[in-house]
Amino acid sequence: MELKRIPDPPITTDLVEAIRAFPVEREVIHCGQPFHVSPFDFYADCPACRSRIKVRALSAVQEVEDVFDAVFEWLNQPGAEASMRRRQQEIKADADET
Ligand SMILES: [Zn+2]
């Protein structure tokens, strides 16, 4: 059986490393006070002044966050999450061995 594939886009080592190193939260400073939000949030509410502030760019330029969003969208398909969980366990097992 031949696997049908879409053409591979250029994926640089820098991109893969940027995903690996991607922080799980983003620090935002407003009113001189730092607070943390999800790195995928577009807006956050400042705990001090209650202002709604933009914390993620809404530009046409693709960012690492957009790669995550594409993966999250992919994960919405039936069966995708099970595949992810299986692969996560393999990756964790490999990391535990070393
Ligand atoms: Zn504020």
Side-chain angles (χ1 to χ4, degrees):
M1 188 182 98
E2 203 170 304
L3 292 173
K4 216 163 117 186
R5 296 198 56 167
I6 50 169
D8 290 327
I11 297 167
T12 64
T13 305
D14 285 350
L15 172 63
V16 174
E17 281 310 311
I19 292 169
R20 280 211 180 94
F22 198 73
V24 294
E25 58 182 15
R26 169 171 298 160
E27 186 179 77
V28 178
I29 298 174
H30 203 255
C31 297
Q33 284 187 354
F35 61 99
H36 295 94
V37 298
S38 162
F40 307 114
D41 287 351
F42 283 96
Y43 296 95
D45 298 317
C46 171
C49 73
R50 300 282 160 206
S51 291
R52 194 154 185 79
I53 49 178
K54 200 167 95 170
V55 292
R56 183 172 159 188
L58 291 164
S59 66
V61 179
Q62 298 286 293
E63 298 180 316
V64 175
E65 290 88 332
D66 298 309
V67 176
F68 278 94
D69 277 350
V71 174
F72 297 153
E73 196 180 329
W74 180 85
L75 282 168
N76 280 334
Q77 299 173 94
E81 200 175 326
S83 296
M84 176 194 72
R85 294 260 175 256
R86 204 163 46 243
R87 184 63 190 136
Q88 277 182 315
Q89 286 166 3
E90 289 169 1
I91 291 167
K92 189 175 184 316
D94 287 349
D96 290 347
E97 272 174 27
T98 54

